[in-house]
Amino acid sequence: MVTISDVAREAGVSTSTVSYVMSGKRAISADTRDRVQAAIARLGYRPHAGARSLASRSTRVIGLQAPLRTGVDVPVIMQVVAGVVQRARVHGYDILLLSSDEAEGLARASRGSMVDALLIMDVESEDARLATIAELDQPSVLIGLPAGRRSIPCIDFDFEAAGWLAVDRLVGLGHTRLALFGAPEAVMERHTSYADRLIRGFLEACEARGVEGSTHPIPDSAEALAEVDAVLTADPGITGILVHNDGALPFIADRIRAHVPSATAPDCLALTSREGALRAHGLTDTIAVPAEALGESAAEMICAMLAGGAHPSVQLLPPELAVGEPSRARIDS
Amino acid sequence: MVTISDVAREAGVSTSTVSYVMSGKRAISADTRDRVQAAIARLGYRPHAGARSLASRSTRVIGLQAPLRTGVDVPVIMQVVAGVVQRARVHGYDILLLSSDEAEGLARASRGSMVDALLIMDVESEDARLATIAELDQPSVLIGLPAGRRSIPCIDFDFEAAGWLAVDRLVGLGHTRLALFGAPEAVMERHTSYADRLIRGFLEACEARGVEGSTHPIPDSAEALAEVDAVLTADPGITGILVHNDGALPFIADRIRAHVPSATAPDCLALTSREGALRAHGLTDTIAVPAEALGESAAEMICAMLAGGAHPSVQLLPPELAVGEPSRARIDS
DNA sequence: TCTCCGTGTTGAAGCGCTTCGACAGTTTGA
DNA sequence: TCAAACTGTCGAAGCGCTTCAACACGGAGA
């Protein structure tokens, strides 16, 4: 193993000088700096992470608790994780992946000085981990929005606003009876924060706009078709539909199109992180969930905190409506 | 921060005794052990990971390079990762998630003593990272099977055997013209090891059994339908079909069923990690890709290496055919 | 009785790094 | 011209832990 002493000897300087060259915390003459950097390159030196964290009390690692359980939309999670990893790297941080064995993993990583900060995904409205995080006294960011007072910084897509946006769009198109087909029952029961908020936004907007709106959890598999079918059959008056369930989308798209076959005025909006695939279903209007951007913003936020900057307590990424071109899109597919 | 000295003082022993109680590397009297453990619990002591790794030259962290890029079947990756994380924890290891910026991340983690071992996913037949890994001189396991000499231990699902198994099954049912609809073009072009191997097994088995077999990469989206359609239309003689593309499955299942509508003798096998969803497509015969088990085995393998045990150089998880009940399944859905 | 051995415990060295205070040597300001 | 202020470098302490050599002690064998 190449140590800092090896580099110092090679460059003819002291170890502290090498350290200062690497960190830039003290002025170093150009000549010395070059010699040291050349020595580092020549020897292929990499500082020992453990030694560094011991001396500097910082690890350059961020703990990320991602939900690996079922019932969540896995591809979305992956996109967020990818965004986090990639952006954290830009700031020189690595990611320690903590499994979702709830609070224990967080405590271990934090107390054991394995990480400089924690990033927590898949937050529930009343999340049991919140108490642990609070007493851990470690910079943390939640990806998700728990209910109540916000002592911990949060970031998320603004699902509530997305609900409003969808309703406004559908009402603007003339629909007066709306339905939201959302996350699976299991997700709802856990009161996963995003599902709750989407429903709230959707229902509040319906009330505000004076239209009827109903919400329906559906499985993220083929079984969704039966449930959607039942809802639409029971109430043929529903003409405006919002779907937030990427897993179910392939199975129910045909049924929904058959229900409201208007080709020019879209009646179904999808809230999804996979815009590309939508075209294929003949669904063209999309509210994109910017999953990767969310991960990147979360990483950015926590890196800013670690860099000592101030930070907003709650950051919500605004929804944007992407209106497609129905006819062309259907031909494309 | 609670340190080992705090614990030692609290328990009335020396720091080395505390250390030996934790590691079990020296005999300690029951009385002393209890006192130390009580002190640890009382103070909520957790050893500093960096200090530990500095002194012991081991981090209890495994680096995992997972493909976060597109074109891979994301849910499968997630399942493997989940298996790895969970099983590594059982052995007391955490997972450092390395992005796929190829060799650089591996070198950084390894040379910087951030990890005790490396686990590399999404291996290509001629993988550029292999050279780096070899010179890193760090315990490593590949999840996937590169071509050529095996200097690095590998583990994977036996896709080649799965190809044979599928062919044998379809031939056994009387089919003489087989088609494999597989991974997207992009995956093929990278020569991702599993895709290559499945095709090889499939074609070799076809030749051995004296039947005609063709292979077709298809997109993992709705566009797959057009390509499948083209193939089946061009050659109506194809009656035995193997699909290995979970993304495309929902879109093409109907078309395939329409092509060979026999309800009692299954004509389409799916190679998939999501058995449950299959029923819904009326496809009942499955060769399961045990994604989570694969991750677990990989973790097990590398932990065994780290524990100093001998290890098999190549480990392939055998495929298993799951024959469903067509009629009942279709009703269920 | 004395030596030898095994058991349980300790002190101290050292892992590789960062950082503080000190210190030469060079400018600058009065 | 001399003190004050920089600039660039170094020595040494110390981060929290593991582990080695040493040692105290009681029991067994001679």
Side-chain angles (χ1 to χ4, degrees):
Chain A
M1 171 172 207
V2 183
T3 74
I4 200 172
S5 319
D6 299 328
V7 175
R9 201 176 315 117
E10 176 86 9
V13 297
S14 72
T15 63
S16 38
T17 300
V18 175
S19 178
Y20 286 125
V21 166
M22 293 192 302
S23 70
K25 292 192 179 174
R26 279 266 233 276
I28 299 286
S29 69
D31 176 54
T32 307
R33 191 181 340 105
D34 292 348
R35 277 210 328 282
V36 169
Q37 274 162 351
I40 288 176
R42 209 173 317 130
L43 300 178
Y45 167 69
R46 312 253 183 167
H48 185 289
R52 186 171 253 197
S53 98
L54 180 57
S56 71
R57 341 215 90 239
S58 119
T59 62
R60 314 262 355 151
V61 172
I62 294 169
L64 172 66
Q65 191 171 50
L68 301 173
R69 57 181 150 191
T70 53
V72 290
D73 186 1
V74 172
V76 174
I77 301 292
M78 255 328 219
Q79 286 179 58
V80 176
V81 171
V84 168
V85 170
Q86 182 238 312
R87 187 58 64 92
R89 272 311 307 148
V90 171
H91 292 277
Y93 285 91
D94 275 294
I95 298 299
L96 191 74
L97 187 60
L98 303 169
S99 64
S100 342
D101 48 5
E102 300 305 307
E104 167 52 20
L106 297 175
R108 192 165 35 79
S110 175
R111 287 263 160 70
S113 303
M114 309 178 75
V115 300
D116 289 349
L118 292 170
L119 216 43
I120 290 116
M121 294 183 66
D122 195 40
V123 177
E124 301 174 13
S125 289
E126 307 291 339
D127 203 296
R129 292 169 293 182
L130 260 40
T132 310
I133 297 164
E135 76 187 20
L136 241 29
D137 187 34
Q138 175 123 80
S140 307
V141 167
L142 307 179
I143 301 184
L145 216 55
R149 71 274 153 292
R150 308 265 153 69
S151 53
I152 307 169
C154 305
I155 184 169
D156 204 353
F157 175 69
D158 195 341
F159 283 93
E160 196 166 339
W164 279 85
L165 182 60
V167 169
D168 277 348
R169 165 73 179 168
L170 291 171
V171 168
L173 289 168
H175 302 284
T176 56
R177 204 87 154 271
L178 313 183
L180 162 61
F181 293 108
E185 195 78 52
V187 172
M188 295 306 309
E189 273 167 14
R190 289 212 317 271
H191 289 283
T192 305
S193 105
Y194 69 82
D196 280 0
R197 286 181 290 133
L198 178 62
I199 288 179
R200 187 183 332 129
F202 181 81
L203 292 180
E204 281 179 11
C206 283
E207 195 170 332
R209 299 291 177 259
V211 300
E212 250 182 68
S214 59
T215 67
H216 315 272
I218 56 174
D220 54 355
S221 61
E223 283 98 61
L225 180 54
E227 309 213 7
V228 169
D229 197 44
V231 170
L232 294 184
T233 305
D235 188 349
I238 293 175
T239 57
I241 292 167
L242 172 63
V243 177
H244 178 224
N245 190 316
D246 281 347
L249 211 44
F251 304 104
I252 64 177
D254 284 345
R255 177 66 185 85
I256 290 176
R257 290 228 310 279
H259 182 73
V260 266
S262 144
T264 46
D267 310 278
C268 181
L269 273 174
L271 184 57
T272 178
S273 67
R274 287 186 286 289
E275 304 163 62
L278 278 194
R279 293 271 171 99
H281 304 301
L283 306 180
T284 60
D285 280 19
T286 302
I287 298 175
V289 178
E292 186 150 3
L294 179 57
E296 290 174 4
S297 300
E300 204 65 57
M301 190 164 169
I302 208 153
C303 288
M305 288 170 64
L306 287 170
H311 53 273
S313 171
V314 174
Q315 192 177 332
L316 292 176
L317 305 190
E320 265 177 56
L321 181 68
V323 177
E325 297 152 41
S327 49
R328 222 173 55 71
R330 286 193 197 177
I331 290 166
D332 279 350
S333 77
Chain B
M1 174 176 202
V2 183
T3 72
I4 199 171
S5 319
D6 298 329
V7 175
R9 201 175 317 117
E10 176 85 9
V13 297
S14 72
T15 62
S16 36
T17 300
V18 175
S19 178
Y20 287 127
V21 166
M22 293 192 302
S23 69
K25 291 190 179 176
R26 279 268 229 279
I28 299 285
S29 69
D31 175 54
T32 306
R33 190 182 339 106
D34 292 348
R35 275 209 329 280
V36 169
Q37 274 162 352
I40 288 176
R42 210 173 314 130
L43 299 178
Y45 166 68
R46 312 253 184 168
H48 185 289
R52 186 171 253 199
S53 98
L54 180 57
S56 70
R57 341 216 88 237
S58 119
T59 62
R60 314 264 352 153
V61 172
I62 294 169
L64 172 66
Q65 191 170 48
L68 301 172
R69 56 182 150 192
T70 52
V72 290
D73 186 2
V74 172
V76 174
I77 301 292
M78 253 334 218
Q79 287 180 56
V80 176
V81 171
V84 168
V85 169
Q86 181 238 314
R87 186 57 64 92
R89 273 307 312 146
V90 172
H91 291 277
Y93 284 91
D94 274 294
I95 297 298
L96 190 75
L97 187 60
L98 302 169
S99 64
S100 343
D101 49 4
E102 300 304 306
E104 168 51 21
L106 297 175
R108 191 165 36 81
S110 175
R111 287 263 161 69
S113 304
M114 309 179 74
V115 299
D116 288 351
L118 291 170
L119 216 42
I120 290 116
M121 294 182 65
D122 195 43
V123 177
E124 300 174 15
S125 289
E126 307 291 339
D127 204 296
R129 293 169 293 182
L130 260 41
T132 310
I133 297 164
E135 77 187 19
L136 240 31
D137 188 34
Q138 175 124 81
S140 307
V141 166
L142 307 179
I143 302 183
L145 217 54
R149 40 110 202 71
R150 309 263 152 69
S151 52
I152 307 169
C154 305
I155 184 168
D156 203 354
F157 175 69
D158 195 340
F159 284 93
E160 196 166 339
W164 279 85
L165 182 60
V167 170
D168 277 348
R169 166 72 178 167
L170 291 170
V171 169
L173 290 168
H175 302 286
T176 56
R177 206 85 152 269
L178 312 184
L180 161 62
F181 294 109
E185 195 78 51
V187 172
M188 296 306 308
E189 271 166 14
R190 290 211 318 271
H191 288 286
T192 306
S193 105
Y194 70 81
D196 280 0
R197 285 181 290 133
L198 177 63
I199 288 179
R200 189 184 330 132
F202 182 81
L203 292 180
E204 282 180 8
C206 283
E207 195 169 331
R209 299 291 176 260
V211 300
E212 251 181 70
S214 59
T215 67
H216 315 271
I218 56 174
D220 54 355
S221 62
E223 282 98 62
L225 180 55
E227 309 213 7
V228 169
D229 197 44
V231 170
L232 295 183
T233 306
D235 188 350
I238 294 175
T239 57
I241 292 167
L242 171 63
V243 177
H244 178 225
N245 190 318
D246 281 347
L249 211 44
F251 304 103
I252 64 177
D254 284 346
R255 177 66 185 84
I256 291 176
R257 291 227 310 277
H259 182 74
V260 266
S262 143
T264 46
D267 310 279
C268 181
L269 275 174
L271 183 57
T272 178
S273 67
R274 288 186 287 289
E275 303 163 62
L278 278 195
R279 294 272 172 99
H281 303 301
L283 306 180
T284 57
D285 279 20
T286 302
I287 299 174
V289 178
E292 185 149 2
L294 178 58
E296 290 173 5
S297 300
E300 203 65 57
M301 191 164 168
I302 208 153
C303 288
M305 287 169 63
L306 288 170
H311 52 273
S313 172
V314 174
Q315 192 177 332
L316 292 175
L317 306 190
E320 265 178 55
L321 181 68
V323 177
E325 298 151 41
S327 48
R328 219 172 58 70
R330 284 190 201 179
I331 291 165
D332 280 350
S333 78

